[in-house]
Amino acid sequence: MAGPSTLELISLTKRYGTSLAVTSINHKFRSGSYACLLGPSGCGKSTTLRMIAGHEAVTSGSILLAGSDISHLPPAKRGTAMMFQNYALFPHLSVLDNVAFSLKMKGVDKPTRHRRAGELLELVDMSKFGARLPAQLSGGQQQRIALARALITQPQVLLLDEPLSALDPFLRIRMRTELKKLQRELGITFIHVTHGQDEALALADEIVVMNNAVIEQAGPAREVFNAPRTKFVAQFMGGHNVIDLANGPVAVRSDEVSLTDVGTGVLPAVVTAIEYQGAHVALMARAHGAQDITAMIPEATFFSAPKEIGQPVGLTWPADRQHALAG
Ligand code: ADP
Ligand code: MG
């Protein structure tokens, strides 16, 4: 559905010298949705985000927000705001002045901009820290300040480039819950760049998978996970085996693969590794054609008939749970 502030990319392209960082991508980001731009390092995610923000010139194509072309507007005039990977806070300015900075640039008087900054600090639960300098804050607190600073411009679209990558794993999970909550409360579009599929699955209404400067697949998180269109998406999303059968490559979720006796309709294999993972045991087995297949077996099932490395096993999965891949 095209909402009031749908963000649309049309044949968007970025060329650096002779190499293409983004190759003619087309996508509509739904108004008020949480979208994750997911892909491996170097696939063009940050370049795409910077073009949307206006920090990078477009080589060709256009960017429409609410139907109007913003591709050549300066960053402050676009209705977008960006939160950078390293937060980029000004070290010599107080937290309050960091948050108020863009209002100062717009010539807003001090009492007004400090009042607005105070409201934003409240939103991110940092009211008590207004007088501190960024160096006197933890990583998670700095991240909240960077968020407040981006949101003070009341953007229709917030762009976040790997916003959680500087945090330790525990804090990363807590902050991602808070990001999602904030997005729901504000009702604006978030476009969050990440190379972590777990992060994308946890957060996104929609996942846009990029690879080699193009969009490989886009859709709701469950759809991208359960119905990867290509080998790349199946492998990158994880949790799947890509298995070459006589009629072509198929994806089968690792938790759909089970062990059975070798027989008809069953793929014979030899156990190559066993990893205890708590709720599951990950069993790796090598089938014909040197294909490595992972079966995620519930702990109790595995230990009711434990296997050993080198043991022959049969691998099976429900026929209706495998699906063909484009290649
Ligand atoms: P990602 O964020 O997905 O890791 P980037 O968008 O940063 O990827 O980069 C995409 C490609 O563009 C990479 O090959 C990168 O080396 C190249 N690139 C990015 N910025 C520049 C630049 N300023 N000059 C030249 N090449 C660049
Ligand atoms: Mg990047």
Side-chain angles (χ1 to χ4, degrees), residues 291-314:
Q291 299 197 67
D292 290 314
I293 294 171
T294 301
M296 292 293 273
I297 304 165
E299 183 199 31
T301 309
F302 179 84
F303 287 104
S304 68
K307 304 292 178 223
E308 280 165 25
I309 291 170
Q311 195 172 337
V313 289

Side-chain angles (χ1 to χ4, degrees), residues 16 21 40-47 50:
Y16 291 112
S41 178
C43 72
K45 306 181 296 297
S46 294
T47 303
R50 288 201 305 267

Side-chain angles (χ1 to χ4, degrees), residues 33-51:
S33 66
Y34 203 121
C36 281
L37 211 50
L38 172 69
S41 178
C43 72
K45 306 181 296 297
S46 294
T47 303
T48 302
L49 214 63
R50 288 201 305 267
M51 283 193 285

Side-chain angles (χ1 to χ4, degrees), residues 130-180:
R132 290 210 193 167
L133 293 174
Q136 298 167 321
L137 301 176
S138 72
Q141 291 168 337
Q142 288 183 27
Q143 201 227 27
R144 287 165 200 243
I145 301 309
L147 257 177
R149 192 179 58 172
L151 290 170
I152 202 166
T153 61
Q154 297 187 290
Q156 295 168 66
V157 180
L158 181 68
L159 307 162
L160 308 108
D161 195 354
E162 311 235 5
L164 304 174
S165 62
L167 306 177
D168 66 61
F170 179 77
L171 201 53
R172 195 177 303 157
I173 289 172
R174 216 181 79 198
M175 288 308 292
R176 85 180 179 204
T177 312
E178 293 196 13
L179 277 181
K180 181 81 178 178

